[in-house]
Amino acid sequence: MDDIDRKLVNILCADGRTSYAELARQVGLTPPSVQDRVAKLERTGVIVGYRAVADPAKIGLNVTAAIGIGTQSGREYAQIASEFEKIDEIESCYFVAGRESYLIKVRVPDMSDLQDLLERIGAIPGVAETRTTIAITTHWEGRPQEVKDRELTHGNRRPKLIRRSRMGQLGGFHR
Amino acid sequence: MDDIDRKLVNILCADGRTSYAELARQVGLTPPSVQDRVAKLERTGVIVGYRAVADPAKIGLNVTAAIGIGTQSGREYAQIASEFEKIDEIESCYFVAGRESYLIKVRVPDMSDLQDLLERIGAIPGVAETRTTIAITTHWEGRPQEVKDRELTHGNRRPKLIRRSRMGQLGGFHR
DNA sequence: CATGAAAAGAACTCCTT
DNA sequence: AAGGAGTTCTTTTCATG
C-alpha cells in the first residue's frame, strides 16, 4: 500500500467505473501497471467490490429508518444476526455497544411496510425491544472516506503528529 | 421503468463494473440497447453513481459509530447540517424524527479520533448533546436492495396484494 | 514492479427498422 | 425503442528492462 495505491482506492471509491486508462493518466502509470495494482487491491481485500448507487426514492424505497434492537440476556448473539440476515430490508447490521445490542438500517417503500417489518423483527426469538428512528431528510449517505497515508494496511501505524487536512464536500452523490 | 430496467439496476447494484456486453446477455438485448437504457437510468437519476467499496479496516478506519445529535430549539436545521458537511468523517447524515434531531454515521481510525471528532461536533453552534453508539461487529453494510416490480418510479403504486418473496443473502460483500 | 507493443474485446456513434 | 455495422478506445496478455 503506497501513495499510488491509496490514490487508486480514492479515485475508485469516488467513481467505481473509472477505466484503467483513466486511472493510469491520473496516477502517472501505464494501464497494465494500474490493472496489476487494482487486481492486487481486490485480491487482498482492500477493494471488496463495486456497486451502482441507486436513488432509493426512485426505486420506490421512500422510508429509511435506523432501528436499535435490545435483546434478552442469555441469547446467542450470532443466531439473532443470522435471523436478521434473512430480512432483505435490512441494508446494514451492526452489533453495538450502547443502549441496544444491535443497530440496523432499513429501507422500505412506505410506513405500512415499516410496521410490517417491525412486527417481523419483534417476532424473532431473543429480540426484546426495538427503538425506531425515522429519517426525514437524508442529507447524504455513503460518502467515500479519503484514504490517508497514516492509515496503513495493518497495525504498523505511525504516531499522530499533525491533524490531517480536511477535504471539502458537496451535496448529493459525493465525489 | 420496465422489468428490464429493474433488472439492469439490480445487476449494477450488485456489481457496478458489469460490462454492457454482459448486461446485454443477462437481459436478452444487444449492447447498444442496454447502453441506451443505462444512460437513461443515469440521466433520470435512478442510478446516481458508481463506487468501489473499500474494506474500512484495510484502509485504517477501525471504528464505526452512529451518533445521535440533539439540537437547541430555535436553531436553523439546515445550517447545522452544512456544518456537518464540512466534517469528512461523517459518512452519512440524516435529519430524523425520534429521540434526537440528527443521526450521523462516522468512521475514524481509532478511539482517540472519535473523541476528537465528538469534541468538534460538540463545538458546533446549536448542537446540544450527542449520544454515541459504537459498532463492535459490522455484520454487513450497504447490502443492495432488490428493485421489485411494485416499486414504481413515482406515486403510481398498485395496491399490495401479496407479501413478496425474500432473497437469501450471505456475509461480507453481498451480491 | 513498470513498460511497450500487439491482439482481443468492449464501448460508442450512426443509421435503419 | 431495438438491432446491426463500423470506428474508436480500452482491456488484456506477454515479452522485456
Side-chain angles (χ1 to χ4, degrees), chain B residues 107-142:
Chain B
R107 280 224 169 84
V108 286
D110 61 35
M111 287 298 176
S112 74
D113 292 291
L114 183 60
Q115 178 172 353
D116 180 275
L117 178 59
L118 284 165
E119 284 167 10
R120 277 189 285 144
I121 289 168
I124 293 171
V127 169
E129 59 165 354
T130 61
R131 190 176 55 87
T132 304
T133 302
I134 292 171
I136 296 171
T137 307
T138 298
H139 286 286
W140 70 86
E141 49 187 0

Side-chain angles (χ1 to χ4, degrees), chain A residues 42-107:
Chain A
E42 290 167 1
R43 268 207 324 279
T44 56
V46 177
I47 292 174
V48 187
Y50 300 87
R51 290 199 188 293
V53 181
D55 180 341
K58 289 267 168 69
I59 58 173
L61 298 170
N62 302 295
V63 177
T64 302
I67 308 176
I69 295 165
T71 55
Q72 290 160 14
S73 54
R75 284 281 178 175
E76 285 289 339
Y77 285 124
Q79 201 184 317
I80 296 174
S82 78
E83 287 302 313
F84 292 155
E85 200 150 348
K86 295 175 193 161
I87 301 175
D88 282 356
E89 289 88 340
I90 305 181
E91 196 241 33
S92 308
C93 176
Y94 308 91
F95 179 65
V96 295
R99 199 181 173 78
E100 287 103 6
S101 301
Y102 287 94
L103 181 62
I104 65 176
K105 174 176 155 188
V106 303
R107 280 225 169 84

Side-chain angles (χ1 to χ4, degrees), chain B residues 29-30 32-33 37 40:
Chain B
L29 290 177
T30 54
S33 309
R37 280 172 175 269
K40 192 168 289 177

Side-chain angles (χ1 to χ4, degrees), chain B residues 9-173:
Chain B
V9 172
N10 286 334
I11 296 167
L12 286 169
C13 284
D15 179 4
R17 296 211 95 168
T18 312
S19 69
Y20 294 126
E22 176 59 26
L23 290 169
R25 266 170 237 131
Q26 292 196 41
V27 301
L29 290 177
T30 54
S33 309
V34 167
Q35 193 173 15
D36 248 35
R37 280 172 175 269
V38 172
K40 192 168 289 177
L41 289 167
E42 290 167 0
R43 267 209 323 280
T44 56
V46 177
I47 292 174
V48 187
Y50 300 88
R51 290 200 188 292
V53 180
D55 180 342
K58 290 267 168 70
I59 57 173
L61 297 169
N62 302 295
V63 176
T64 302
I67 308 176
I69 295 165
T71 54
Q72 290 160 14
S73 54
R75 284 283 179 173
E76 285 290 338
Y77 285 125
Q79 201 185 318
I80 296 174
S82 77
E83 288 300 314
F84 291 155
E85 201 151 348
K86 294 176 194 162
I87 301 176
D88 283 356
E89 289 88 340
I90 305 180
E91 197 240 33
S92 308
C93 176
Y94 308 91
F95 179 65
V96 295
R99 200 183 174 74
E100 287 101 6
S101 300
Y102 286 94
L103 181 62
I104 65 176
K105 174 177 155 189
V106 304
R107 280 224 169 84
V108 286
D110 61 35
M111 287 298 176
S112 74
D113 292 291
L114 183 60
Q115 178 172 353
D116 180 275
L117 178 59
L118 284 165
E119 284 167 10
R120 277 189 285 144
I121 289 168
I124 293 171
V127 169
E129 59 165 354
T130 61
R131 190 176 55 87
T132 304
T133 302
I134 292 171
I136 296 171
T137 307
T138 298
H139 286 286
W140 70 86
E141 49 187 0
R143 176 161 70 173
Q145 311 291 115
E146 180 109 349
V147 187
K148 306 273 173 34
D149 57 343
R150 37 179 291 273
E151 292 149 359
L152 302 168
T153 314
H154 296 109
N156 54 342
R157 316 243 323 257
R158 281 177 268 123
K160 290 175 214 177
L161 296 170
I162 42 150
R163 184 167 294 197
R164 58 206 181 284
S165 68
R166 326 252 171 243
M167 151 186 110
Q169 284 295 3
L170 315 130
F173 180 79

Side-chain angles (χ1 to χ4, degrees), chain A residues 101-120:
Chain A
S101 301
Y102 287 94
L103 181 62
I104 65 176
K105 174 176 155 188
V106 303
R107 280 225 169 84
V108 285
D110 61 34
M111 286 298 176
S112 75
D113 293 290
L114 184 59
Q115 178 172 354
D116 181 275
L117 178 59
L118 284 165
E119 284 166 9
R120 272 159 40 215

